[in-house]
Amino acid sequence: EDQVTQSPEALRLQEGESSSLNCSYTVSGLRGLFWYRQDPGKGPEFLFTLYSAGEEKEKERLKATLTKKESFLHITAPKPEDSATYLCAVQPPDSNYQLIWGAGTKLIIKP
Amino acid sequence: GAGVSQSPSNKVTEKGKDVELRCDPISGHTALYWYRQSLGQGLEFLIYFQGNSAPDKSGLPSDRFSAERTGGSVSTLTIQRTQQEDSAVYLCASSLGASSPLHFGNGTRLTVT
């Protein structure tokens, strides 16, 4: 069964302390990997799409990378407003629209 | 422009009652999804609409759940004879097409007492 696993479940960092979130998947030949950010009481907000191993995308303090079996979301010098749950989703090769979602990593940045 | 709108934002209902959840997608988005989100779990796919095609209902957990999309726009998710295990946040998302990024509403938090 295709699975998406995110780690850690929760991460507490001091403001300015860089780190990475992991999204590993068992899907072979994925069509795309998506990162979303979700604030409490809100719906997920799209961040990045990655399509092939070696690809990287950046937005402000966030950088997403992709290998054949996992993706990393690197957070550089985070600020308290980066606190949120970060969700990863994988689109398998046999579907145009289905996504397999990870359970998310809750990131807390302390000032 | 306006994003995806869901109503109500919160719904408390008694076990056995029927509920209707509404979703107004972004104008021009042909694809519409319903997901269910429970604490500590990934988003659970419920149903997918694409244009005038037959919807993919494969994620609906039981025949108590149904959804429709009228005129290719507004969608309603109906849960009949609600059970306590139906308590969750129900999220609606729309997109320009099947493989495009999803735009989510803020969800309806359903509590069945």
Side-chain angles (χ1 to χ4, degrees):
Chain A
E1 181 183 348
D2 293 333
Q3 285 189 329
V4 176
T5 304
Q6 291 189 247
S7 61
E9 289 185 12
L11 182 62
R12 293 176 180 267
L13 299 172
Q14 288 294 136
E15 183 174 1
E17 181 184 0
S18 301
S19 188
S20 297
L21 313 182
N22 178 264
C23 171
S24 63
Y25 55 91
T26 59
V27 176
S28 297
L30 58 80
R31 282 179 174 245
L33 184 143
F34 301 82
W35 281 99
Y36 287 79
R37 168 194 171 124
Q38 186 173 24
D39 292 296
K42 304 289 186 181
E45 176 186 352
F46 170 73
L47 292 174
F48 304 109
T49 308
L50 300 167
Y51 293 104
S52 57
E55 188 175 0
E56 298 183 354
K57 293 273 181 73
E58 285 190 66
K59 180 180 179 180
E60 295 181 355
R61 295 175 292 282
L62 299 177
K63 183 169 80 172
T65 62
L66 181 65
T67 71
K68 287 188 177 179
K69 288 298 178 186
E70 60 191 347
S71 176
F72 291 94
L73 185 65
H74 306 278
I75 302 176
T76 302
K79 299 181 178 182
E81 54 262 41
D82 295 321
S83 297
T85 295
Y86 290 85
L87 302 173
C88 167
V90 167
Q91 187 173 27
D94 57 348
S95 175
N96 287 330
Y97 56 88
Q98 284 279 15
L99 293 174
I100 305 169
W101 291 83
T105 293
K106 184 174 183 178
L107 178 66
I108 299 170
I109 308 298
K110 297 176 286 184
Chain B
V4 176
S5 178
Q6 291 188 246
S7 61
S9 55
N10 283 283
K11 177 72 176 179
V12 180
T13 190
E14 292 181 353
K15 177 181 172 181
K17 300 284 189 183
D18 298 352
V19 295
E20 280 191 357
L21 313 180
R22 177 187 169 102
C23 173
D24 280 282
I26 294 173
S27 178
H29 281 194
T30 59
L32 187 146
Y33 305 71
W34 283 98
Y35 285 95
R36 181 164 69 178
Q37 186 173 36
S38 301
L39 195 63
Q41 299 181 21
L43 273 65
E44 177 188 4
F45 168 78
L46 296 178
I47 189 168
Y48 168 76
F49 296 91
Q50 171 61 51
N52 296 321
S53 302
D56 177 355
K57 304 180 180 180
S58 61
L60 295 178
S62 77
D63 58 7
R64 296 186 295 105
F65 288 72
S66 63
E68 60 179 25
R69 187 179 186 189
T70 55
S73 181
V74 172
S75 177
T76 303
L77 177 68
T78 301
I79 308 174
Q80 296 179 311
R81 305 181 301 283
T82 52
Q83 304 295 313
Q84 287 189 329
E85 60 262 29
D86 299 335
S87 296
V89 175
Y90 290 82
L91 291 165
C92 174
S94 69
S95 70
L96 282 171
S99 295
S100 300
L102 304 184
H103 297 261
F104 285 85
N106 287 330
T108 294
R109 179 175 296 279
L110 176 66
T111 303
V112 182
T113 62

